[in-house]
């Protein structure tokens, strides 16, 4: 059984893979993840490249609702695959593999700024409000932060 930190890491990996499919970051991330899964076995690495290509193909859907469903499915698939690999390792190997995965995610996945998948809208700040009895809603995939707004410069305030 994996601890919460490793489950969160696997979830981050799944989200990164599903979100990067079809983007400029895909080629590098695809290769790095296949190497990570392959663990030095060229045949296993090739099998992972084939699976990753299937993930990229699923991102080519033009219907926005179907693209979102495909992305959600791929997130779950890759999270599960990452968890299974980590669970199959002994403690020392697991820690090494986790550190390698953290490193490759940091290298290939943007850590700040807004990123959107196919059909998504990327923004650093979004205001959603309802007016005169209407309904407003939003969905957050990924992280969210709440903090105090910065104070305006004295000429503005």
């Amino acid at each position: 059984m994996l601890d919460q930190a490793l489950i969160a890491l696997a979830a981050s990996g799944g989200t990164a893979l599903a979100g990067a499919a079809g983007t400029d970051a895909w080629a590098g991330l695809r290769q790095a993840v296949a190497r990570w899964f392959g663990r030095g076995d060229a045949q296993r690495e090739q099998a992972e490249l084939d699976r990753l290509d299937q993930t990229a193909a699923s991102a080519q859907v033009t219907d926005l609702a179907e693209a979102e469903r495909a992305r959600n499915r791929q997130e779950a698939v890759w999270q599960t695959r990452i968890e299974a690999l980590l669970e199959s390792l002994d403690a020392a190997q697991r820690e090494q593999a986790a550190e390698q995965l953290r490193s490759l995610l940091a290298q290939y996945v943007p850590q700040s700024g807004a990123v959107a998948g196919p059909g998504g809208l990327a923004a650093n700040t979004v205001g959603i409000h309802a007016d005169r009895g209407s309904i407003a809603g939003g969905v957050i995939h990924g992280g969210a932060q709440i903090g105090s707004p910065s104070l305006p410069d004295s000429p503005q305030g």
Side-chain angles (χ1 to χ4, degrees):
M1 184 106 178
L2 297 177
D3 65 26
Q4 289 298 322
L6 292 178
I7 292 170
L9 176 62
S12 294
T15 300
L17 283 165
T23 69
D24 293 341
W26 180 247
L29 180 61
R30 173 187 171 269
Q31 194 66 42
V33 167
R35 271 193 311 273
W36 183 81
F37 270 102
R39 320 232 29 91
D41 180 329
Q43 193 171 11
R44 192 168 30 183
E45 184 175 330
Q46 184 57 52
E48 294 305 327
L49 287 169
D50 294 343
R51 285 184 184 96
L52 288 159
D53 289 342
Q54 291 171 357
T55 295
S58 75
Q60 300 304 314
V61 178
T62 57
D63 177 65
L64 296 181
E66 181 56 34
E68 182 66 19
R69 285 189 294 273
R71 191 178 77 72
N72 289 339
R73 281 191 305 270
Q74 291 302 320
E75 275 185 37
V77 164
W78 286 104
Q79 177 179 349
T80 301
R81 290 189 55 70
I82 292 167
E83 287 176 1
L85 184 130
L86 291 172
E87 286 177 341
S88 74
L89 303 172
D90 67 38
Q93 292 171 325
R94 184 178 303 131
E95 187 52 43
Q96 181 183 18
E99 189 52 44
Q100 290 168 343
L101 182 57
R102 282 184 198 99
S103 177
L104 80 85
L105 290 175
Q107 182 177 356
Y108 292 102
V109 179
Q111 299 299 310
S112 62
V115 178
L121 170 66
N124 286 320
T125 303
V126 175
I128 300 173
H129 65 278
D131 188 290
R132 295 186 200 110
S134 63
I135 298 172
V139 177
I140 297 173
H141 294 283
Q145 294 178 334
I146 298 175
S148 301
S150 58
L151 297 174
D153 293 336
S154 56
Q156 295 175 353

